[in-house]
Amino acid sequence: MRIGVPKEIKIHESRVGLTPTAVRELVANGHQVMVQKNAGFQIDLSDDKYLGAGAEIVETPQEIYAKADLIVKVKEPQPSEIPLLREGQVLFTYLHLAPDPTQTKGLIDSGCIAIAYETVTDSFGGLPLLAPMSEVAGRMAIQAGAHALELDQGGRGMLLGGVSGVPAARVVVIGGGVVGTNAARVAMGVEAHVTVLDKSIHRLQQLDFQYGSRINTVFSTVDAVEEYVAAADLVIGAVLVPGGAAPKLVSRELVSRMNRGAVLVDVAIDQGGCFATSRPTSLADPVFTLDGVVHYCVSNMPGAVARTSTFALNNATLPFVLALANKGYRKALTDDPHLRNGLNVYRGQLTHEAVARDLGLVYMPALELLT
């Protein structure tokens, strides 16, 4: 199979779809890999490293999209890339379609087979291709929030862990999944006062057993969200509805009652955000202030640590890329229900129920279309 890796063009996005190590695995399995010139340059993955792994270096994205059977990316195709997609071409990347009707229409109209990293599942009920970036984003959320709390960023001028005789900052994490757990872990590491809200008693028990008195776990209700968010110095939005839009758990009115200079970090912004006041920002201009509250809503947070993120992502995606290349997309999707859950668009048909529900569109079950 001919596999193409275009250079990412989303603003301040330096991750790359395949590392030289992944390329070598694919070449060893008999496949051709085309990598756009300088695709990994920013993270010290030079063209020479790709050539040494057996890749062909090509100058333009147009050449990759014109020749490749399978496109492996990181971020969703940008408006200039969607017209390059061909009917029957396989696209494997993060898509986050639920809050993005324009991209959804473009993929449907293209006739491509679009498989989303974020909706691929595993036998443990997890999202294995979202998890590594959720780990990165969760840990970064505290780092970003700590910086945003500094006075010159518009924050309260607080140190997360406090110092002798001065209380630590109050960090509230909404959601106890991969993002929330990693955020809480880092916040505890700098000795902040950490509260995690979640609707799963089982998950709260796990966190309690794991971290003991270092963490405060609270069952999430409307009252609890209002009580803890209003008093927080830093709030991390870490909720996820697989494939669907994130629920708005913090209202505009609640934001207006927060302390002046408090910080909201919305890790769910890729799925529309879980704060009513959120809007996507970029690594170039990451924060804005509304009602005196600093908002950090970067939609590609792991892109700030692109080298770490690229290797972590490739560790998770490579087995699925190999399956698609070795078996062909139809057999790979038919054989593996977890990979099939990643199928969002198939030759002009929407195939993911949560995406269809949030966008008000109809969908066809993937297995019906494949068989």
Side-chain angles (χ1 to χ4, degrees):
M1 183 178 282
R2 289 169 298 182
I3 302 159
V5 183
K7 184 176 181 179
E8 298 294 327
I9 60 172
K10 187 167 185 171
I11 185 169
H12 282 249
E13 181 55 76
S14 299
R15 288 174 288 178
V16 62
L18 293 175
T19 62
T21 298
V23 168
R24 188 175 179 189
E25 287 292 314
L26 288 160
V27 171
N29 277 263
H31 306 293
Q32 297 173 273
V33 183
M34 298 179 292
V35 178
Q36 189 178 344
K37 184 177 180 181
N38 291 330
F41 176 78
Q42 292 291 333
I43 55 173
D44 195 30
L45 297 179
S46 66
D47 290 347
D48 285 343
K49 291 178 180 177
Y50 281 105
L51 287 168
E56 175 191 355
I57 301 298
V58 301
E59 290 283 338
T60 67
Q62 287 81 2
E63 186 176 352
I64 286 177
Y65 282 93
K67 293 182 178 179
D69 306 303
L70 167 62
I71 300 290
V72 181
K73 279 175 46 62
V74 178
K75 290 306 292 179
E76 71 278 0
Q78 301 300 292
S80 63
E81 294 176 300
I82 289 177
L84 301 178
L85 288 163
R86 307 192 323 269
E87 184 173 353
Q89 190 171 49
V90 181
L91 172 67
F92 195 29
T93 189
Y94 287 115
L95 293 175
H96 300 291
L97 294 181
D100 193 345
T102 302
Q103 185 201 168
T104 303
K105 183 179 186 304
L107 293 179
I108 290 171
D109 290 346
S110 75
C112 77
I113 295 96
I115 306 168
Y117 291 161
E118 73 273 7
T119 61
V120 173
T121 56
D122 63 22
S123 56
F124 307 103
L127 302 170
L129 307 191
L130 192 60
M133 296 304 94
S134 296
E135 277 191 73
V136 172
R139 297 182 186 203
M140 279 194 67
I142 300 301
Q143 184 174 306
H147 184 51
L149 273 171
E150 295 173 12
L151 207 59
D152 65 352
Q153 300 297 306
R156 304 194 75 198
M158 294 186 72
L159 188 65
L160 277 185
V163 291
S164 301
V166 181
R170 290 160 295 189
V171 177
V172 173
V173 181
I174 306 177
V178 178
V179 170
T181 300
N182 279 273
R185 178 180 170 185
V186 173
M188 285 184 282
V190 297
E191 300 183 352
H193 181 275
V194 181
T195 299
V196 175
L197 282 72
D198 198 281
K199 284 190 170 295
S200 168
I201 289 292
H202 177 64
R203 184 65 193 132
L204 295 176
Q205 288 172 335
Q206 289 178 316
L207 291 169
D208 255 341
F209 291 146
Q210 186 171 0
Y211 297 113
S213 61
R214 292 190 294 156
I215 195 171
N216 181 35
T217 58
V218 175
F219 184 74
S220 183
T221 62
V222 173
D223 281 350
V225 169
E226 289 182 353
E227 177 184 349
Y228 284 92
V229 168
D233 302 302
L234 170 60
V235 180
I236 309 298
V239 298
L240 173 70
V241 176
K248 303 294 185 189
L249 299 180
V250 176
S251 67
R252 173 70 183 266
E253 189 274 332
L254 179 53
V255 170
S256 71
R257 288 196 277 124
M258 294 178 69
N259 294 314
R260 187 178 68 82
V263 174
L264 297 173
V265 178
D266 198 342
V267 186
I269 193 65
D270 268 336
Q271 296 291 111
C274 60
F275 307 134
T277 48
S278 293
R279 58 174 170 79
T281 62
S282 69
L283 290 167
D285 187 17
V287 299
F288 64 91
T289 301
L290 187 65
D291 290 338
V293 176
V294 182
H295 293 62
Y296 182 100
C297 305
V298 174
S299 58
N300 62 328
M301 286 177 65
V305 287
R307 184 176 172 89
T308 296
S309 299
T310 292
F311 281 93
L313 181 60
N314 268 243
N315 289 342
T317 58
L318 181 57
F320 294 100
V321 176
L322 280 167
L324 288 166
N326 289 343
K327 296 181 175 182
Y329 77 85
R330 188 182 296 274
K331 182 168 175 51
L333 290 168
T334 304
D335 287 353
D336 185 350
H338 299 298
L339 180 59
R340 191 165 65 244
N341 287 335
L343 186 63
N344 280 209
V345 177
Y346 181 82
R347 295 182 178 269
Q349 297 275 355
L350 200 58
T351 57
H352 197 282
E353 184 177 6
V355 172
R357 181 187 65 239
D358 286 338
L359 293 177
L361 300 173
V362 296
Y363 85 103
M364 285 285 290
L367 195 57
E368 285 187 26
L369 292 170
L370 289 166
T371 56

